[in-house]
Amino acid sequence: MNLRERYEELEEKILSPLATISKNSKGREKDEKKCDIRTDFQRDRDRIIHSKAFRRLKHKTQVFIAPEGDHYRTRLTHTLEVSQIARTISRAIRLNEDLTEAIALGHDLGHTPFGHTGEFALDKVTSNGFKHNYQSLRVVEYLEKGKGLNLTHEVKDGILSHSGELTAATNEGKVVKLADKIAYINHDIDDAIRAGILKNDDLPKECIKVLGKTNSERLNKMIMAVIMHAINYGEIKLIGEVGEATWELRRFMFENVYYGSEAKKEEDKAQNLVISLFEYYMKKPEEMPKEYNQRVIEFGLEQSVIDYIAGMTDRYAIHEFNRLFIPSPWQKYF
């Protein structure tokens, strides 16, 4: 019995009936020789961490577009916070922490430059619309390394189902979907206060009375509510008094930060930038890197342009816009 097999045997002994057991995975689209050390879900986590798409998240917007300050969240730090929250919940209720972590680390790989602003822009101009969770799945199925990462069915399902009306097939995927919301509600409050857009006193008093005055208190209340409901009822939900306060606080953030606040004053520029790039490459696909031109035959022109733009970081998108649309000064003086 190798190390992987020993670990798989241990999972069956210590994990909850609610958990997804590694050796019971539905597997990968392409069969592979098993690793002697790591379970399939551990391998998936490692593949995501070592991907280029994961590294690019450090230069993609969370809420504040291309922030100058060192302490504002980016899409990468958001991902790490989601992973931490999701692992805490999964460990407490004895779910498969490796599966949870893999889903959490991969859930935003398909996010556009400028966060949801870029997502809305592509959704406007593409013929079939654009959703970042579908693009995240596309990254791990086709785009990364030019052939995808060949992840397990359970990890791909969790990545796709973390957003929108979809429901994950595993409890680990359901945990990540809640952890995503718990993370951004709280860290976006922290960033908004740092930016001077909100003050602590602005937060809804009834919500704060239930959830707590500090970021730490609120996180603890929300996480504990999910854990206790799972222990008592065998369901992954955030409901009851804490759940109601959480969703009310989320509504407050949409009204006061995500829509129409000072944090969003550059959004129109960002959307115009993304739309301009899309329109330009649709007319001149030869201007895209060679690898994306080669995909036109397989995936079509529009999808290849979407893949290229969605993969850009904020700063790369700005660089490309400047290169294509802003005249360079003439430098030959003599």
Side-chain angles (χ1 to χ4, degrees):
M1 184 178 289
N2 61 33
L3 291 174
R4 172 184 52 78
E5 290 168 334
R6 289 179 185 176
Y7 193 84
E8 288 173 342
E9 189 178 79
L10 184 62
E11 281 185 351
E12 292 188 303
K13 291 178 180 178
I14 66 173
L15 294 186
S16 161
L18 298 173
T20 306
I21 304 299
S22 298
K23 75 176 193 178
N24 295 337
S25 168
K26 292 183 179 179
R28 309 179 187 280
E29 188 171 333
K30 299 174 185 174
D31 288 336
E32 296 181 8
K33 183 178 182 295
K34 298 277 188 179
C35 177
D36 289 338
I37 302 170
R38 298 166 297 164
T39 68
D40 285 347
F41 298 147
Q42 289 169 345
R43 290 182 87 183
D44 285 359
R45 174 202 59 205
D46 296 349
R47 289 177 184 185
I48 289 167
I49 288 175
H50 289 285
S51 69
K52 290 190 295 183
F54 183 76
R55 294 196 294 275
R56 289 197 300 269
L57 294 176
K58 68 181 177 179
H59 292 300
K60 293 195 178 192
T61 287
Q62 175 57 28
V63 171
F64 295 89
I65 292 174
E68 294 289 332
D70 292 335
H71 299 125
Y72 292 102
R73 270 72 171 190
T74 65
R75 194 58 57 174
L76 177 60
T77 56
H78 161 73
T79 294
L80 295 176
E81 292 186 38
V82 172
S83 177
Q84 178 269 315
I85 292 167
R87 285 187 294 109
T88 296
I89 295 170
S90 286
R91 185 177 300 177
I93 59 180
R94 294 184 294 120
L95 296 182
N96 192 315
E97 197 174 336
D98 296 320
L99 173 57
T100 302
E101 186 176 24
I103 295 169
L105 293 175
H107 82 280
D108 269 354
L109 292 180
H111 237 302
T112 58
F114 314 116
H116 289 290
T117 301
E119 180 177 18
F120 296 151
L122 283 181
D123 192 48
K124 282 182 184 178
V125 296
T126 54
S127 56
N128 294 315
F130 179 90
K131 301 296 180 192
H132 77 274
N133 53 321
Y134 285 88
Q135 189 67 17
S136 294
L137 180 63
R138 184 168 172 76
V139 168
V140 300
E141 283 195 322
Y142 303 112
L143 303 181
E144 186 66 31
K145 295 187 176 181
K147 58 182 180 180
L149 298 176
N150 197 29
L151 303 183
T152 57
H153 170 83
E154 292 78 8
V155 172
K156 293 193 296 183
D157 170 79
I159 288 172
L160 178 64
S161 303
H162 86 271
S163 180
E165 300 302 317
L166 298 172
T167 300
T170 66
N171 284 315
E172 290 82 359
K174 293 172 185 175
V175 165
V176 172
K177 187 167 189 172
L178 278 179
D180 184 32
K181 293 176 173 61
I182 291 171
Y184 73 65
I185 290 168
N186 286 286
H187 66 49
D188 291 349
I189 289 173
D190 188 46
D191 280 354
I193 290 173
R194 176 175 291 109
I197 292 168
L198 290 179
K199 297 177 183 176
N200 267 314
D201 290 342
D202 296 330
L203 300 176
K205 290 180 173 53
E206 289 303 311
C207 296
I208 300 311
K209 184 178 178 181
V210 173
L211 299 172
K213 295 180 180 179
T214 68
N215 189 54
S216 178
E217 289 174 348
R218 291 189 289 269
L219 281 170
N220 188 61
K221 272 286 182 71
M222 294 175 189
I223 291 168
M224 282 300 300
V226 177
I227 290 170
M228 295 311 299
H229 187 82
I231 290 172
N232 292 328
Y233 301 101
E235 299 176 320
I236 310 301
K237 290 184 177 180
L238 179 51
I239 58 176
E241 183 183 41
V242 173
E244 289 175 6
T246 299
W247 306 132
E248 181 57 36
L249 189 57
R250 181 174 180 264
R251 282 191 288 273
F252 170 85
M253 289 297 290
F254 270 90
E255 291 173 4
N256 294 277
V257 177
Y258 302 141
Y259 296 141
S261 75
E262 189 72 10
K264 297 301 178 180
K265 68 178 183 179
E266 299 295 304
E267 272 197 353
D268 286 346
K269 296 177 186 177
Q271 286 202 35
N272 289 335
L273 184 154
V274 170
I275 291 170
S276 296
L277 290 176
F278 176 81
E279 292 173 345
Y280 182 88
Y281 291 123
M282 286 295 290
K283 293 176 182 176
K284 296 186 176 182
E286 67 276 7
E287 291 284 339
M288 295 192 296
K290 184 178 178 181
E291 63 186 283
Y292 290 94
N293 261 301
Q294 291 173 337
R295 290 174 184 157
V296 171
I297 297 173
E298 183 177 2
F299 300 123
L301 173 59
E302 183 179 86
Q303 186 61 62
S304 299
V305 172
I306 291 169
D307 291 340
Y308 181 42
I309 295 174
M312 292 180 177
T313 60
D314 294 10
R315 64 184 186 178
Y316 183 70
I318 293 169
H319 173 272
E320 284 299 277
F321 182 87
N322 287 337
R323 181 179 71 83
L324 297 173
F325 298 106
I326 306 300
S328 299
W330 180 250
Q331 296 181 1
K332 189 172 182 180
Y333 299 108
F334 302 104

